[in-house]
Amino acid sequence: MGEVIKTDVVIIGAGPIGLFAVFELGLLDMKCHLIDILDKIGGQCAELYPEKPIYDIPGIPVTSAQGLIDALLEQIKPFGAQYHLGEMVQTVQKIGDPLFRVKTDQGKEFESKVVVIAAGGGSFQPKRPPIPGIEPYEGKSVHYAVRKMEAFRGKRVLVVGGGDSALDWTLNLAPIASHLTLLHRRSEFRAAPDSVNKMTALVGDGKIDFVLGQVTGLQGDNGQISKAIGKSNDGSAFEIACDALLPFFGLTMKLGPVANWGLELKNNELIPVETSAFETSVPGIFAIGDINWYPGKLKLILSGFHEGALMAQKAHRYIYPDKKLVFQYTTSSTSLQKKLGVAPAPATAPAA
Ligand SMILES: Cc1cc2nc3c(=O)[nH]c(=O)nc-3n(C[C@H](O)[C@H](O)[C@H](O)COP(=O)(O)OP(=O)(O)OC[C@H]3O[C@@H](n4cnc5c(N)ncnc54)[C@H](O)[C@@H]3O)c2cc1C
């Protein structure tokens, strides 16, 4: 375990609402660390529908979901938020008034006066493939995400699946693995056609193998896999020697560890908040975006943006209890413009 990371605000979830919260908090001089279980930024927009058009972001008649995330990242650049991706927040513990200790499943620890839960529908979790006896290998030689590519250098890797993750990791790990096999139950893929073409070219060049079929069992010792037993579509059995199995069977959303943080919950899936600052039942812990509930709540991106703005006003009181907050517009405040790194508009010369 490394040193405890001390910051003003820990934001749990790097979806669109967590990202915009960085902007609102940054304008009021609060520094943020964002943690997300996914290995990329953007929440549902980036994970579930990156290419779909969105038509109801105020002032933007149409953008793609990924386009919105890219624009948000550009907008919050001046505030230097730090990202911790591929990490699930496991515990949020109250250690002061308010002061919180936040711990991730990767052993990182944070300390902050304010915690913002922007965890959407909860954590994206991998679907477990229906392979009997897979549990003892999980986390040792069966992995549902690639956290460090180097961990697979020189290994015999078996990737299973036909979607974008399976194809992306096939292409990325092929040069690193000593041998790579892609296994899929059909010859059609859901992945981007460009990735499928690249994979087919690697197979054609003899650089990787592609096998049609399904994994039905695993063999190995002490969590270390040595071979996967498979079944072809014609019913014949086969074996693939491997040191690592990477099944990509999609993701489901579950509330996950949020349920154990001592917060009041509605129907065991949403966090009730008051509507002046979107604070939870624990002072100093806020919930914004899809994860919260209040009468009339709409699970829309624009609602979460509004919630982030009000949350930041109250968060300021915890971080700077002695400072008076003066309401300002970005259009006219030179101090806000300095924070954004934009030059103030030149003064108009008086008419002669
Ligand atoms: C197909 C589709 C189309 C949509 N179209 C529109 C639209 O046109 N307009 C609109 O306004 N809305 C639309 N939405 C809804 C919109 O995407 C959501 O309202 C928005 O994504 C909510 O943002 P969020 O940041 O609150 O949560 P999310 O986008 O869900 O992000 C939450 C993040 O928190 C992370 N997380 C959760 N728990 C933990 C944990 N314990 N530790 C670490 N990380 C955690 C998750 O991994 C996730 O990345 C659509 C949704 C879908 C599925």
Side-chain angles (χ1 to χ4, degrees):
M1 197 190 64
E3 254 172 56
V4 175
I5 300 170
K6 295 190 175 170
T7 184
D8 293 331
V9 182
V10 168
I11 301 178
I12 302 168
I17 308 313
L19 294 178
F20 191 64
V22 170
F23 184 84
E24 292 295 335
L25 290 160
L27 282 182
L28 306 184
D29 297 320
M30 290 173 272
K31 296 261 170 275
C32 307
H33 281 247
L34 289 107
I35 308 167
D36 203 298
I37 191 169
L38 294 177
D39 57 8
K40 58 170 171 284
I41 293 170
Q44 294 175 47
C45 292
E47 186 62 37
L48 299 181
Y49 62 108
E51 293 178 350
K52 281 207 167 114
I54 304 185
Y55 300 100
D56 55 355
I57 303 299
I60 304 175
V62 60
T63 179
S64 68
Q66 186 59 51
L68 174 66
I69 297 304
D70 294 344
L72 284 166
L73 283 172
E74 183 65 30
Q75 191 171 23
I76 66 177
K77 227 189 226 164
F79 302 112
Q82 297 197 36
Y83 300 92
H84 305 267
L85 299 177
E87 305 210 21
M88 184 201 274
V89 172
Q90 213 124 41
T91 57
V92 175
Q93 195 191 352
K94 190 171 186 310
I95 54 169
D97 204 15
L99 190 65
F100 300 96
R101 178 67 54 89
V102 174
K103 291 188 192 171
T104 75
D105 61 348
Q106 300 298 303
K108 263 187 215 158
E109 288 195 25
F110 301 80
E111 208 175 278
S112 65
K113 283 192 175 170
V114 167
V115 172
V116 175
I117 305 175
S123 46
F124 285 100
Q125 292 184 359
K127 286 188 190 154
R128 180 181 267 165
I131 304 173
I134 194 169
E135 294 84 358
Y137 299 98
E138 286 175 331
K140 293 181 178 154
S141 55
V142 171
H143 304 280
Y144 298 111
V146 176
R147 305 222 194 266
K148 286 202 178 87
M149 293 218 298
E150 270 307 304
F152 299 95
R153 185 171 291 282
K155 292 200 172 155
R156 297 167 303 172
V157 176
L158 173 59
V159 177
V160 186
D164 282 312
S165 297
L167 271 281
D168 284 354
W169 287 119
T170 295
L171 299 178
N172 280 296
L173 293 174
I176 288 177
S178 67
H179 185 263
L180 189 140
T181 307
L182 173 66
L183 180 81
H184 183 41
R185 63 195 158 85
R186 294 187 287 131
S187 46
E188 293 84 41
F189 293 86
R190 294 183 317 281
D194 179 55
S195 306
V196 178
N197 291 342
K198 286 184 178 144
M199 181 277 292
T200 313
L202 288 178
V203 175
D205 292 345
K207 295 205 167 122
I208 64 169
D209 287 332
F210 173 62
V211 176
L212 265 171
Q214 302 178 48
V215 178
T216 55
L218 303 175
Q219 274 184 23
D221 272 323
N222 295 325
Q224 178 52 58
I225 188 174
S226 57
K227 64 170 77 152
I229 320 292
K231 191 175 76 176
S232 307
N233 292 351
D234 64 8
S236 58
F238 59 82
E239 291 182 357
I240 298 174
C242 56
D243 309 305
L245 171 68
L246 305 178
F248 295 107
F249 281 49
L251 298 163
T252 52
M253 284 176 88
K254 289 198 178 137
L255 186 59
V258 180
N260 309 320
W261 297 343
L263 300 165
E264 229 174 77
L265 293 178
K266 183 171 170 66
N267 300 334
N268 222 20
E269 56 181 25
L270 296 169
I271 304 175
V273 286
E274 50 75 43
T275 50
S276 68
F278 304 96
E279 201 165 18
T280 67
S281 53
V282 177
I285 302 187
F286 297 82
I288 56 174
D290 277 13
I291 192 87
N292 75 11
W293 180 85
Y294 50 88
K297 164 77 181 182
L298 286 179
K299 286 191 184 185
L300 282 176
I301 294 167
L302 69 86
S303 322
F305 287 171
H306 160 78
E307 293 159 13
L310 268 63
M311 169 279 294
Q313 301 280 316
K314 178 87 186 268
H316 187 270
R317 281 199 239 156
Y318 291 120
I319 310 283
Y320 300 110
D322 303 325
K323 269 197 201 167
K324 193 171 175 321
L325 191 56
V326 181
F327 177 76
Q328 301 180 85
Y329 291 123
T330 53
T331 20
S332 43
S333 156
T334 43
S335 106
L336 292 184
Q337 287 164 359
K338 248 193 220 155
K339 292 176 199 175
L340 290 167
V342 290
T348 13

